Amino acid sequence: MKFPGLRKIKHYFPVSQPKPQLPSFEVRPQLDTYIVGLDQTIVDVVASVSDDFLAKHAIPKGLSNLVAHDKANQIYHELVSQQAISDHFAGGTIGNTIHNYSVLADDKSVLLGVMSANIALGSPAYHYVCHTSSKVDMNHLQGVAGDIGRGITMITPDGERTFVIDPSDMDQLCADYIPTAIIAGAAAFVVSAYPLRATGQPIQQAMQKALADAKAEQVPVVMSLGTRHLVEENRQLILETIERYVNVLAMNELEAEALTGHADPLLAAEAILELTDMVLITAGADGLYLCGYSDEAAKRESTNPIKSASLADFNLYEFSRPMLRRDCQQPLKVYSHIDPYLGGPERIKNTNGAGDGALAAILHDMAANHFHKQLQPLSSKHEQPYLAYSSFAQLCKYANRVSYEILVQNAPRLSKGLPEREDSLEEAYWER
């Protein structure tokens, strides 16, 4: 595993131990450190269209429209014939997240979902595989006769985006294809709230089995909320799922407001911490918040400037490391915030996937903690059952940096890892 960020030498991972076994592309639960993600496998198609094109196909402008497979196929082939398509991207919130994790960690992850049993050139499945890291183990996908999902983003001359969603067979994942042993050996299990709206579809039962397996094996469960509209429509079911299974919850400020009723991210986070152990809230130009629990005996005061907003001195203990609430003798709520990296990009090329990038950074640090604990169980880093290797403040820095990398590119997934040395940091930093 590639370790996240600069650390003092006494905490470096041992690299001199012999590794007699040949590398394996397939995950080995007893030997590898990895995360598992369950997703509705989908490909994002980006095309430029006219208002007349939307009117011709009776597609309401500016909305997300679920359409029948035949109609979506007709629209897609017409776009191809008009050479209107600019990009194909492998999509899906969790697909993006575990791909980014594997790029950052240079290590394995496992994707659960469906995949076309026969992949044709130019098909959605073909584009999905082409744009996914080779470190993502797809051996546990369920083969289906049809296509995976396809989301067509149509951009009109005024810049408005209209979405056509063709689910195809992406919701046909059966509970029989949830590998309990693979989940049991994972550093974390990550899922989004999207399958919760697939009422009556097999993927709902598959998700419930995966969540139950992770909870039974005490594997941390991480959930990404999806969209504000999704939260508003399925709020009660989402709240029940969070309270029953979830340890880490990720969202943007709009989804946080839909879930809690609080427009202020800090107040939203405070409310969410009554349900779960850690919360990541990305807030666009306001940066991001990471909030959770640490034990009163393990708290560490920040040397950064102390901030006050709706909560006074809220980042006072941001140098503490995250813990599960159940593992704390005296639970202490900890809040951390960071402004956008370098003030944010001069020109944002893409906002799709920035939150997935931030979550991938958090997962990387959680997996690094899992890996280090296996190698050095008696290290002072594991005097408490910490959830992550780094402090809240350091996790914010890392998540913020990865989000920036997504914002300055067109694709929603990382194409390469972060640089070993940042040009924005003084040379003295690297000499410490």
Side-chain angles (χ1 to χ4, degrees):
M1 168 173 288
K2 192 172 183 180
F3 191 57
L6 184 70
R7 293 294 181 273
K8 294 180 180 179
I9 193 164
K10 68 176 181 178
H11 296 317
Y12 278 177
F13 292 172
V15 295
S16 57
Q17 294 180 358
K19 297 180 180 178
Q21 294 182 331
L22 293 174
S24 167
F25 286 106
E26 190 167 353
V27 156
R28 300 162 297 180
Q30 303 304 318
L31 299 173
D32 296 322
T33 296
Y34 59 93
I35 64 169
V36 177
L38 184 150
D39 201 15
Q40 295 168 304
T41 43
I42 189 169
V43 165
D44 295 326
V45 180
V46 181
S48 297
V49 301
S50 65
D51 289 316
D52 292 340
F53 183 91
L54 296 180
K56 174 185 174 183
H57 293 282
I59 301 296
K61 185 176 178 179
L63 300 177
S64 181
N65 304 277
L66 200 66
V67 302
H69 180 66
D70 290 343
K71 183 174 181 178
N73 254 346
Q74 180 187 351
I75 291 171
Y76 177 77
H77 290 300
E78 191 168 332
L79 292 172
V80 170
S81 66
Q82 294 178 4
Q83 297 184 331
I85 295 175
S86 60
D87 288 297
H88 287 82
F89 296 118
T93 294
I94 303 306
N96 291 344
T97 300
I98 66 167
H99 164 92
N100 291 337
Y101 165 86
S102 283
V103 171
L104 292 169
D106 193 27
D107 214 340
K108 298 173 188 173
S109 58
V110 177
L111 177 65
L112 305 180
V114 303
M115 183 55 63
S116 300
N118 296 302
I119 300 178
L121 288 173
S123 67
Y126 172 82
H127 287 291
Y128 193 95
V129 173
C130 286
H131 290 90
T132 301
S133 168
S134 62
K135 298 279 186 179
V136 177
D137 183 351
M138 298 189 185
N139 289 296
H140 300 281
L141 292 171
Q142 174 185 337
V144 291
D147 285 328
I148 62 172
R150 183 164 52 201
I152 305 174
T153 302
M154 294 182 286
I155 306 172
T156 44
D158 59 1
E160 184 72 71
R161 291 171 178 250
T162 302
F163 303 94
V164 164
I165 310 298
D166 169 20
S168 197
D169 285 347
M170 72 180 185
D171 292 329
Q172 299 309 304
L173 176 65
C174 298
D176 293 343
Y177 283 83
I178 300 301
T180 301
I182 295 294
I183 291 176
F189 172 69
V190 58
V191 70
S192 79
Y194 282 112
L196 293 177
R197 71 176 178 183
T199 306
Q201 297 295 328
I203 196 170
Q204 273 202 340
Q205 287 70 47
M207 177 179 171
Q208 289 298 322
K209 182 180 187 303
L211 288 170
D213 287 349
K215 182 177 181 179
E217 299 294 339
Q218 296 189 331
V219 174
V221 173
V222 182
M223 177 179 277
S224 175
L225 280 189
T227 66
R228 178 175 189 158
H229 186 59
L230 171 71
V231 177
E232 289 170 343
E233 283 193 342
N234 303 274
R235 184 174 180 272
Q236 192 55 43
L237 179 57
I238 289 172
L239 285 170
E240 291 170 3
T241 304
I242 293 168
E243 196 163 13
R244 187 173 181 183
Y245 296 111
V246 178
N247 304 112
V248 181
L249 194 63
M251 69 206 79
N252 64 30
E253 76 279 19
L254 298 177
E255 294 149 17
E257 182 180 4
L259 188 69
T260 66
H262 295 292
D264 185 314
L266 276 174
L267 295 180
E270 184 180 39
I272 294 167
L273 287 179
E274 296 301 315
L275 304 173
T276 190
D277 302 289
M278 189 161 72
V279 54
L280 169 69
I281 301 178
T282 54
D286 292 331
L288 60 82
Y289 296 82
L290 185 67
C291 314
Y293 287 96
S294 196
D295 194 86
E296 183 75 29
K299 69 183 181 185
R300 292 190 296 179
E301 285 195 23
S302 175
T303 59
N304 294 329
I306 302 303
K307 303 176 182 180
S308 289
S310 50
L311 300 178
D313 301 338
F314 66 83
N315 68 321
L316 181 60
Y317 297 112
E318 67 180 353
F319 281 12
S320 307
R321 289 170 63 195
M323 296 175 64
L324 297 177
R325 185 177 184 178
R326 67 169 182 257
D327 292 333
C328 300
Q329 297 295 320
Q330 292 180 275
L332 172 71
K333 287 181 179 177
V334 179
Y335 304 86
S336 187
H337 167 261
I338 193 167
D339 292 316
Y341 178 70
L342 298 181
E346 289 184 13
R347 178 172 174 265
I348 295 176
K349 294 184 178 180
N350 165 54
T351 57
N352 184 24
D356 302 336
L359 181 56
I362 304 298
L363 287 164
H364 184 196
D365 200 273
M366 290 172 63
N369 186 62
H370 180 272
F371 180 51
H372 190 267
K373 189 173 183 178
Q374 287 182 316
L375 293 179
Q376 299 286 314
L378 301 180
S379 167
S380 60
K381 295 290 288 184
H382 307 296
E383 290 175 349
Q384 298 277 5
Y386 292 111
L387 184 60
Y389 191 85
S390 304
S391 68
F392 285 93
Q394 279 293 98
L395 284 165
C396 275
K397 288 181 184 179
Y398 189 28
N400 205 28
R401 178 63 184 88
V402 176
S403 286
Y404 178 91
E405 200 68 17
I406 299 289
L407 292 170
V408 297
Q409 64 179 35
N410 289 317
R413 295 185 173 193
L414 292 172
S415 58
K416 61 183 185 302
L418 298 185
E420 293 293 332
R421 287 182 174 234
E422 295 284 5
D423 294 336
S424 62
L425 297 175
E426 298 175 3
E427 194 63 27
Y429 173 86
W430 300 107
E431 293 172 355
R432 289 205 300 268

